[in-house]
Amino acid sequence: MTPSYAQEGMWIAARMGAGPAYHLPLALWFDGDLDVDALLSACAAVVARHPVLATTVTGDGGGARLTMAEEPPVTLARPSGPDALERLVRDEVARPFDLDGGPVARFTLAPAGPGRHLLLFVAHHLVFDGMSKDILVRDLARFYTTGARGPVTPLPFAPAAAAERGRAEAALP
């Protein structure tokens, strides 16, 4: 898939050493009983619905290309010790993304005490922005409450990126 021009610019900046400047974290706290397996399944369903979250970004000589990664970005963490949760969040937000190997987004679920959990989502700005958080939370809640049953219909990303590139090219002389 061809990325949008904005994504290609972020890919160039990342390759030049932008570090975690383009890492976008979203912390979701859950109080009370939590079906951990259902939440992990909901995270996987969100990735299936938004496959751009499970991509790699590589150069092909003519610019950046998006391709599918091999592993879903969903993990269960078991932090222990004083300040372990704070350290986990700090480390996950700062942990580099392997743009060539992907994926460029990840979910980490961690217990935060009795009846409390933290779901930390961190994505590279190449595939996620501030406006996307409401969509992610909405889909996550829907898949958690429905049990993420049945096949998930992925939302196509390529047509939106192609349309954005077309609008930009039409505006250029």
Side-chain angles (χ1 to χ4, degrees):
M1 293 182 284
T2 302
S4 69
Y5 283 126
Q7 287 174 307
E8 195 160 2
M10 285 181 242
W11 172 73
I12 291 168
R15 292 179 63 90
M16 293 175 61
Y22 286 116
H23 296 190
L24 300 178
L26 175 63
L28 300 171
W29 292 95
F30 296 90
D31 291 318
D33 292 335
L34 180 71
D35 184 338
V36 170
D37 290 336
L39 186 56
L40 294 175
S41 293
C43 292
V46 165
V47 173
R49 176 116 170 105
H50 305 280
V52 72
L53 296 176
T55 57
T56 65
V57 187
T58 58
D60 67 0
R65 298 283 306 155
L66 298 174
T67 57
M68 295 309 297
E70 293 186 21
E71 62 182 71
V74 181
T75 58
L76 182 59
R78 301 236 184 252
S80 62
D83 303 321
L85 194 60
E86 184 178 314
R87 217 173 28 258
L88 172 77
V89 170
R90 187 176 50 248
D91 292 349
E92 282 299 307
V93 171
R95 183 162 54 109
F97 286 101
D98 178 2
L99 297 182
D100 292 326
V104 290
R106 55 185 170 252
F107 289 93
T108 305
L109 178 61
R116 189 161 169 82
H117 288 82
L118 168 67
L119 178 64
L120 179 64
F121 173 78
V122 182
H124 196 286
H125 196 23
L126 275 157
V127 296
F128 191 75
D129 60 23
M131 295 186 326
S132 301
K133 72 177 173 39
D134 294 336
I135 296 167
L136 183 132
V137 171
R138 179 201 65 206
D139 286 352
L140 186 66
R142 180 171 58 100
F143 290 129
Y144 179 76
T145 58
T146 64
R149 293 181 204 94
V152 175
T153 304
L155 293 177
F157 166 77
E164 186 264 349
R165 288 180 86 88
R167 285 189 300 275
E169 289 167 4
L172 297 172

